[in-house]
Amino acid sequence: MKLSVNALNSFYGPAHILFDVELDVAEGEVVALLGRNGAGKSTTFRSIVGLVAQRSGRIVFEGRDVTREPTHAIVRAGLGYVPEDRRIFTDLTVEENLEVGRQPPRAGAPQWTRDKLFTLFPNLGEMRSRLGGRMSGGEQQMLTIARTLMGNPSLVLLDEPSEGLSPKIVEQMAHAILTMKKEGVSILVSEQNLHFARLISDRVSIIERGRICYRGTMEELEARPDIRDAHLAV
């Protein structure tokens, strides 16, 4: 198993946010963590990469227990994280932003170059010298993912990658994620957009109020409109 999360509990001060969360991602798989706003998706991702101080449970990445490791060590081990808030450097160009994310090649993970990323995201290839602050939200999202891939991760956490994007950009994002999968990147993606999840996911987990309440394939979820409507309908 590429990533295994067992009995994960997380707290912000006295507030108990995640309750015994169980997740796993296999080699070359796309798993979607679905849930409404505030369900615990982002806290789950932040906990996996060590950005939540108060947590318990066990997180194993590529057979290595990273539960107590600092964030920089987890990332250097090959786990990429794309946060929801698109933390690009607005005063750097596209190419300069990509260079910030560069890490050496690592065994068992695809190697990404700028040219390869410009093929994955053609929009970026057309604006190599543009400042990050002069890009649209969708372009910034693409740049954030591309910069993460410059670290040559074997698994990437994508937090709400389709949020606020136009339908056309959402389709481009789905194509890019499926291409990443073909290249050998395993992906855990958090989403509210069920249509987007349908396009990319092998399996899904649903989180509500910090608890995993459903796990299965996308086909199995589609066959259970009662579960889908109870936990995902707005």
Side-chain angles (χ1 to χ4, degrees):
M1 194 63 63
K2 180 68 71 170
L3 176 70
S4 180
V5 177
N6 304 110
L8 178 61
N9 288 266
S10 292
F11 302 79
Y12 291 134
H16 194 167
I17 307 298
L18 300 182
F19 300 83
D20 294 321
V21 167
E22 303 275 338
L23 281 173
D24 56 75
V25 183
E27 184 87 33
E29 186 178 39
V30 179
V31 176
L33 179 62
L34 303 176
R36 298 184 178 101
N37 250 341
K41 302 186 301 297
S42 293
T43 300
T44 299
F45 279 23
R46 288 173 54 82
S47 298
I48 290 171
V49 295
L51 291 173
V52 177
Q54 293 176 269
R55 70 193 193 284
S56 63
R58 191 163 186 253
I59 301 164
V60 178
F61 174 57
E62 294 191 325
R64 168 178 167 181
D65 190 334
V66 298
T67 312
R68 301 295 167 216
E69 296 195 17
T71 301
H72 66 84
I74 296 172
V75 171
R76 284 177 183 167
L79 200 160
Y81 171 50
V82 180
E84 183 181 4
D85 53 0
R86 305 169 188 165
R87 298 175 191 168
I88 64 164
F89 294 98
T90 56
D91 55 347
L92 298 182
T93 67
V94 167
E95 289 195 325
E96 289 168 342
N97 265 279
L98 293 181
E99 285 304 309
V100 169
R102 183 184 293 277
Q103 289 189 48
R106 67 182 82 248
Q111 182 177 353
W112 297 88
T113 62
R114 285 186 299 180
D115 287 343
K116 193 172 176 181
L117 289 168
F118 290 147
T119 299
L120 181 67
F121 296 113
N123 296 33
L124 298 183
E126 297 170 0
M127 54 182 71
R128 302 179 186 212
S129 299
R130 184 170 301 179
L131 295 177
R134 297 182 59 198
M135 302 170 70
S136 71
E139 291 161 353
Q140 289 181 348
Q141 182 69 286
M142 293 176 183
L143 179 56
T144 308
I145 296 173
R147 186 181 63 192
T148 300
L149 291 177
M150 282 292 284
N152 301 312
S154 61
L155 184 143
V156 174
L157 308 181
L158 296 177
D159 195 2
E160 301 271 15
S162 75
E163 184 178 27
L165 303 186
S166 69
K168 179 180 178 181
I169 298 296
V170 167
E171 297 288 334
Q172 292 177 8
M173 192 68 68
H175 175 74
I177 289 173
L178 292 175
T179 302
M180 290 161 58
K181 176 185 174 182
K182 287 180 183 177
E183 290 285 338
V185 180
S186 305
I187 301 166
L188 178 60
V189 55
S190 78
E191 265 301 332
Q192 295 183 65
N193 185 333
L194 187 58
H195 168 67
F196 185 74
R198 284 190 189 102
L199 297 176
I200 62 172
S201 306
D202 299 302
R203 289 189 297 118
V204 300
S205 291
I206 298 176
I207 189 169
E208 184 166 343
R209 297 180 182 177
R211 291 179 168 87
I212 299 294
C213 56
Y214 178 82
R215 299 175 73 179
T217 65
M218 181 56 75
E219 290 76 15
E220 289 167 343
L221 178 59
E222 295 285 25
R224 294 295 305 273
D226 55 327
I227 291 176
R228 185 183 68 222
D229 294 344
H231 299 296
L232 300 174
V234 177

